[in-house]
Amino acid sequence: MVDGINPAKSPADLRLERRIFAASHGRDLTPEERETLERIRPPRTYPVRRAGQSYDGPIAMLPVAQLYVRDVPDLSPPEGKDLLQVLWCPFDHPIMPRTLLFWRSVAAVTDILDTPPEPPAVQFDGYLPEPCVLEPEQITEYPDHLELSEELREQLAQWSVPQAAEEDMDPDTYYDCVLSNAPSWKVGGWPAWNSTDPSSQPCSECGTVMEVLMTVATFEEGDDAGNSWSPHPHPGAGPYPSHRGYNATGVQIGSGYRQHLFVCPAEPEHPHIELMT
């Protein structure tokens, strides 16, 4: 038990559990499947976190995203770099995984491991990303309404009434649901302020106001946005279908939140920060 409540599991056990639940969808578990799940679920001996201390021993980090500048031109890497690799530790630090960013040159990546190292345990199922193929799609989104001036908010409130009526939506949330903050994994764009007020994030090295590099989202669609943010073409349900859309990556941040990674636009290799909203 890492947090005293949830038993940690190995990545291999989590993948096996996912396969069993996917295969048994719509039917009862077989005796063999139940036996396997019972074997997986008991707590085992894994790295422990003691009060005020780090986890015992080194923990291999899990790959979260690999982005090429050729696929995502707006990535804005450091000079001479054309590849971004995002990894995270699959344990809370303290309420979400801690991430590391590696800016690299594709030409310099020659010694590739056939089997990358994995941690002996993962704190939550949602901290083990499901492999996905990236098909970049460029979109336009706008700032959260909390970042707009009061005058512009009033104009939007009037404009939203007939627009929302056409789609049978709440005019008070129409702008945020349909035009602002695409509820998905994305590079760049605007941060969502669902659980906290807007705040500038200064770089700890040079004081420059940081910008969103990447958003790790639980869902690719929102509750009330209709088809506004459905990726094209819609890839269908992922490993965990949901009334909120789909979750192709299997990742869950908090109880369905998003993890924003902010970087310094003046020097992307300055220390980045993470914010859950």
Side-chain angles (χ1 to χ4, degrees):
M1 301 277 183
V2 177
D3 57 7
I5 301 174
N6 302 279
K9 301 172 187 173
S10 70
D13 282 350
L14 280 176
R15 294 188 183 104
L16 177 56
E17 186 177 67
R18 289 178 182 178
R19 289 197 297 271
I20 290 174
F21 285 137
S24 63
H25 182 68
R27 63 167 173 81
D28 293 335
L29 293 168
T30 66
E32 292 77 11
E33 289 170 336
R34 292 183 185 279
E35 182 179 347
T36 300
L37 291 176
E38 289 172 1
R39 175 186 64 79
I40 291 174
R41 287 174 178 170
R44 306 181 184 183
T45 303
Y46 286 129
V48 212
R49 187 177 187 181
R50 298 185 172 88
Q53 298 182 7
S54 303
Y55 296 104
D56 292 343
I59 297 290
M61 304 189 82
L62 288 170
V64 177
Q66 178 165 275
L67 305 173
Y68 294 88
V69 173
R70 63 172 182 261
D71 297 324
V72 189
D74 295 334
L75 203 53
S76 301
E79 185 176 355
K81 308 295 176 66
D82 54 2
L83 170 66
L84 170 64
Q85 294 175 322
V86 182
L87 282 73
W88 71 19
C89 172
F91 292 87
D92 276 342
H93 291 268
I95 58 172
M96 58 184 164
R98 177 176 295 167
T99 56
L100 289 180
L101 307 181
F102 294 92
W103 298 96
R104 310 181 70 179
S105 167
V106 173
V109 180
T110 56
D111 189 10
I112 301 175
L113 295 175
D114 293 331
T115 306
E118 289 191 331
V122 175
Q123 185 172 0
F124 299 112
D125 184 353
Y127 289 175
L128 177 65
E130 190 76 14
C132 298
V133 175
L134 178 66
E135 296 182 4
E137 179 181 356
Q138 191 168 34
I139 62 170
T140 299
E141 64 172 14
Y142 298 93
D144 190 292
H145 78 279
L146 294 174
E147 296 197 59
L148 304 177
S149 67
E150 184 174 349
E151 180 183 0
L152 189 51
R153 286 190 219 174
E154 292 177 358
Q155 294 177 10
L156 279 173
Q158 297 175 13
W159 174 83
S160 295
V161 173
Q163 306 294 329
E166 290 183 8
E167 300 188 38
D168 193 26
M169 294 179 65
D170 183 348
D172 291 336
T173 59
Y174 180 80
Y175 171 77
D176 281 338
C177 288
V178 176
L179 297 175
S180 168
N181 297 319
S184 58
W185 287 57
K186 61 189 179 184
V187 173
W190 297 91
W193 302 107
N194 298 330
S195 57
T196 183
D197 290 335
S199 60
S200 61
Q201 309 297 326
C203 174
S204 61
E205 293 285 333
C206 65
T208 303
V209 176
M210 304 180 86
E211 298 176 352
V212 176
L213 166 72
M214 176 179 170
T215 298
V216 177
T218 297
F219 297 103
E220 296 297 315
E221 296 173 310
D223 274 326
D224 305 315
N227 295 320
S228 176
W229 298 115
S230 296
H232 178 75
H234 194 299
Y240 300 107
S242 163
H243 71 284
R244 294 188 62 184
Y246 65 95
N247 181 2
T249 62
V251 165
Q252 178 168 322
I253 301 296
S255 299
Y257 291 93
R258 293 174 257 199
Q259 181 176 2
H260 297 301
L261 308 183
F262 288 81
V263 295
C264 175
E267 180 47 73
E269 291 184 300
H270 281 173
H272 73 289
I273 61 172
E274 303 142 345
L275 185 65
M276 185 169 76
T277 67

